[in-house]
Amino acid sequence: MAKKILIVGGGYAGFYTAWKLEKLLYPGEAQVTIVDPLPYMAYLPFLPEVAAGSIEPRHAVVARRRHLKRTQNIAGKVTAISHENRTATVTPNTGEPYDFEYDHIVVTTGSVSRTFPIPGVADQAIGLKTIEEAVAVRDRLVGNFERAASLPADSPERARLLTVTVVGGGFAGIETISELRSYATSLLRRYPEISFDETRFRLVEAMGRIMPEVSERTADWVVRDQTRRGVDIHLDTQLSSAIDGKIELSNGDKYESDLIVWTAGVMPRPFLRETDLPIGPRGHVIGSPTLRITTEDGEPLAGAWTAGDTSQTPDISSTPGPGGFCVPNAQHAVRQGRLLAKNIAADLRGEGVREYNHKNLGAVAGLGVNVGVFQSGKFALKGYFAWLAHRFYHGLAVPTWERKWRVFGAWVGHFFLSRDIVNIEAVQEPRAIFKEFASRPK
């Protein structure tokens, strides 16, 4: 009988595992099922550019049903796992929960924003881990320009609307603040009522430097470059409070900000702690270099696999990440997903599995239109050519040629037409206008 392979989570690692399995498995060898509440995989490195209007939101996601033709898709969540009984509880988006029996389980649930109990953050801030958040950030930024342009120049509310705060100085935070600053600068041409000096962009980072993935010299260049472009970078500084958008920093600064974006870390999905899978001290599923799930003693669990942000996978490369584990980024998730598919197919056939040995290709970041940074070993590239390298790399890395054509086509269009500034905030409450004028029984 065909083996049942259950993939929990359809993000990077889950999508690439299923995509590769469709090419490797013989007809009738196994039935692959993905459970995810969303019908698409989001290409997360594009989120800052989506927030800055450089990429259309639908171009940054990949529809699984279009590209996974032999994989069963279930719209819902896995809310419990009993690997001892080889069953998972599936809670569909619509309908009652039910048990799903499997032979192999692949845990690729990804990560969510990790926050701290800072007053106001849960109520006021927005993350940048999903395509929906990126769209909301873009619409809020443009909407705030529209609202501020109608207010008196000395209005406190105007200053609040034109102030953006990003918390976290890793790659996500730096790319986000840089792209938003670049976008806001371009918006000023359409809003003559607003001056450059009125727009304030602040980055808050608790550590003494930004972007630990690059050299300190490169990171210092990014700080200088973004400061010159109008970004205030606060190092060795923590966010103390954000109640009602009133920002208080550990260095004593106080100001108001309408848009607060949180990018200060990620964590695995908490429900994994309630399963019978071995969990590490920070909530990750314990994995091995072969991407099998193992006990704390290193004993592999038959039929259990993991990859991506949710896994605690040893980094056996020549330059291991912090703690000796693979860091949560797209490079690892994509490559692990591909290898995971090969190892599952080999395991089904009684063949040997391979270890994941990551060869670092370097780090590349977009810092707004025409500005970027690239680091590989001691070699660093900055400015325009690094920006081209960033777009070329990620344009080719987004899965499927259908998505690549859409992304590159949009970039070419923006070169001639500039970025779109249309704001459709109202889509977040699509029934508002209908409800306002709908007839009701007397």
Side-chain angles (χ1 to χ4, degrees):
M1 294 178 61
K3 298 293 185 179
K4 293 182 178 180
I5 301 172
L6 175 64
I7 300 177
V8 185
Y12 275 122
F15 176 86
Y16 273 92
T17 299
W19 203 25
K20 189 70 174 178
L21 279 172
E22 288 197 347
K23 301 173 184 177
L24 294 175
L25 294 176
Y26 305 136
E29 187 175 13
Q31 171 59 55
V32 181
T33 301
I34 281 186
V35 179
D36 194 287
L38 299 173
Y40 51 76
M41 184 215 84
Y43 189 73
L44 301 187
F46 279 161
L47 295 188
E49 289 200 60
V50 171
S54 291
I55 293 179
E56 291 301 307
R58 285 181 175 82
H59 297 173
V61 299
V62 179
R64 284 193 295 273
R65 286 185 179 271
R66 175 166 183 167
H67 297 285
L68 299 180
K69 297 179 173 58
R70 294 192 290 123
T71 300
Q72 179 186 10
N73 283 271
I74 297 178
K77 297 179 180 179
V78 169
T79 52
I81 298 172
S82 175
H83 188 62
E84 182 180 3
N85 299 314
R86 301 291 178 101
T87 62
T89 300
V90 176
T91 302
N93 291 348
T94 303
E96 297 298 319
Y98 60 91
D99 287 340
F100 186 101
E101 295 183 355
Y102 62 81
D103 297 294
H104 290 260
I105 190 168
V106 179
V107 182
T108 54
T109 50
S111 58
V112 295
S113 295
R114 175 174 60 93
T115 60
F116 306 103
I118 301 171
V121 166
D123 300 318
Q124 301 294 323
I126 184 170
L128 203 70
K129 281 288 294 176
T130 68
I131 195 69
E132 294 82 3
E133 289 173 326
V135 172
V137 168
R138 177 187 182 277
D139 285 343
R140 175 77 71 83
L141 180 66
V142 181
N144 282 355
F145 265 66
E146 195 70 34
R147 287 182 280 272
S150 304
L151 295 173
D154 58 351
S155 167
E157 180 62 19
R158 178 177 169 122
R160 173 192 172 101
L161 290 169
L162 296 176
T163 301
V164 176
T165 302
V166 175
V167 184
F171 254 64
I174 289 296
E175 287 191 298
T176 298
I177 194 72
S178 302
E179 291 287 355
L180 293 179
R181 173 70 269 182
S182 173
Y183 191 33
T185 301
S186 68
L187 286 175
L188 293 174
R189 292 178 294 173
R190 313 296 181 184
Y191 291 88
E193 306 93 334
I194 300 173
S195 68
F196 179 88
D197 292 337
E198 288 184 275
T199 58
R200 300 297 303 274
F201 286 75
R202 294 174 178 255
L203 178 86
V204 181
E205 168 53 45
M207 305 297 289
R209 57 162 295 181
I210 61 170
M211 304 173 76
E213 299 89 343
V214 303
S215 69
E216 192 165 352
R217 181 177 180 181
T218 301
D220 290 340
W221 178 88
V222 173
V223 171
R224 293 193 303 271
D225 178 76
Q226 290 303 307
T227 300
R228 178 175 63 85
R229 297 177 188 277
V231 177
D232 296 322
I233 298 179
H234 303 271
L235 300 178
D236 292 313
T237 305
Q238 296 179 351
L239 176 65
S240 302
S241 177
I243 296 176
D244 297 327
K246 297 177 181 178
I247 304 296
E248 295 182 16
L249 303 181
S250 60
N251 62 7
D253 282 6
K254 296 182 180 181
Y255 62 93
E256 293 194 28
S257 177
D258 187 76
L259 179 55
I260 306 167
V261 183
W262 182 274
T263 66
V266 296
M267 65 179 184
R269 294 185 182 272
F271 96 93
L272 291 169
R273 292 184 180 272
E274 308 301 322
T275 69
D276 65 352
L277 298 174
I279 302 297
R282 300 184 63 184
H284 299 82
V285 178
I286 298 177
S288 67
T290 61
L291 306 178
R292 290 185 185 273
I293 296 176
T294 68
T295 65
E296 294 182 5
D297 298 328
E299 290 295 321
L301 296 185
W305 311 82
T306 186
D309 290 5
T310 199
S311 68
Q312 181 181 291
T313 302
D315 189 346
I316 62 174
S317 67
S318 57
T319 55
F325 299 109
C326 296
V327 297
N329 65 25
Q331 269 193 47
H332 284 302
V334 170
R335 295 181 179 189
Q336 287 175 3
R338 289 170 175 161
L339 177 62
L340 183 50
K342 294 178 182 178
N343 281 353
I344 292 175
D347 187 74
L348 291 175
R349 299 161 190 166
E351 301 169 358
V353 296
R354 294 164 47 197
E355 292 186 334
Y356 176 70
N357 193 338
H358 173 68
K359 182 179 180 181
N360 192 356
L361 295 178
V364 61
L367 305 175
V369 174
N370 295 332
V371 185
V373 63
F374 169 76
Q375 180 96 42
S376 180
K378 295 183 179 181
F379 175 75
L381 190 63
K382 313 176 189 74
Y384 179 71
F385 290 105
W387 175 76
L388 287 180
H390 169 265
R391 287 208 158 177
F392 183 76
Y393 172 77
H394 284 296
L396 291 179
V398 65
T400 80
W401 281 103
E402 175 248 340
R403 291 290 105 174
K404 299 182 202 299
W405 282 113
R406 293 182 190 274
V407 169
F408 279 113
W411 281 335
V412 172
H414 290 159
F415 178 80
F416 294 101
L417 303 174
S418 76
R419 287 177 284 189
D420 201 330
I421 69 166
V422 173
N423 166 32
I424 51 173
E425 277 183 298
V427 75
Q428 296 173 33
E429 295 184 63
R431 295 189 66 247
I433 191 70
F434 177 82
K435 289 192 295 183
E436 180 180 355
F437 296 104
S439 298
R440 292 176 174 82
K442 295 183 179 180

